[in-house]
Amino acid sequence: MNILKPKALQRGDTIGIVAPAGPVKRERIELAIDRLRQLGFRTKTYADIWRSRAYLAGDDATRAQEFMDAFADPETTAVWCARGGYGVVRILPRIDFEVVRNNPKVFVGFSDITALHLTMQNRTGLVTFHGPNLQDGFGAPEDMTPTTQAALWRAVLGDEQTSAQ
């Protein structure tokens, strides 16, 4: 399969925020959104990002549809996971990987989100980025280390190739 590279993220671009796994903590995601906006990015959520169904961020169909809506959205350059956690494997059969292949975007997340990284790579060839989920990265009370931020921005930004700080 050919390697499919997404368009690089640039300041001013819109980042679609999805919750394909566990429920999010409102104050942490709001902090992450504020920090991303301070760095010059716009953000967009799909459905109700605050939803919760036991230990998941909603039912399987809703979480999968949110993921699909973010990839199909022509306004977004990136799809960034709010958090990891159990449940990602349950939505894989509901994902239309042709939509992902036809709309390659920067995709960031870690933990159980790795299931999405691996499946997207195998089904589409899309290069994805194993990086901090929003809740535990930009939404953490303490800032990410400068080294972590520099590596993240070097990976996902275009010609800037510098920290977005």
Side-chain angles (χ1 to χ4, degrees), residues 4 46 54-55 57 72 88 91 93 145 161:
L4 179 60
Y46 302 84
Y55 53 86
V88 174
I91 70 169
T145 66
Q161 293 299 311

Side-chain angles (χ1 to χ4, degrees), residues 40-51:
F41 299 101
R42 293 178 299 196
T43 60
K44 185 174 185 177
T45 58
Y46 302 84
D48 175 13
I49 194 81
W50 317 117
R51 68 190 177 272

Side-chain angles (χ1 to χ4, degrees), residues 67 85 87-92 95 97 107 109-123 128 130:
F67 179 88
V88 174
V89 172
R90 294 170 44 159
I91 70 169
L92 293 177
I95 304 250
F97 289 98
F107 178 75
F110 80 103
S111 184
D112 288 38
I113 303 302
T114 303
L116 280 166
H117 288 291
L118 293 172
T119 306
M120 281 192 285
Q121 172 61 44
N122 287 331
R123 299 265 190 97
T128 60
H130 192 264

Side-chain angles (χ1 to χ4, degrees), residues 37-88:
R37 288 180 179 160
Q38 289 171 13
L39 292 168
F41 299 101
R42 293 178 299 196
T43 60
K44 185 174 185 177
T45 58
Y46 302 84
D48 175 13
I49 194 81
W50 317 117
R51 68 190 177 272
S52 178
R53 184 173 183 183
Y55 53 86
L56 298 171
D59 62 58
D60 295 348
T62 301
R63 290 179 295 116
Q65 188 60 54
E66 175 186 69
F67 179 88
M68 295 306 309
D69 290 346
F71 264 94
D73 186 350
E75 292 181 12
T76 62
T77 303
V79 176
W80 209 310
C81 294
R83 67 162 286 191
Y86 176 79
V88 174

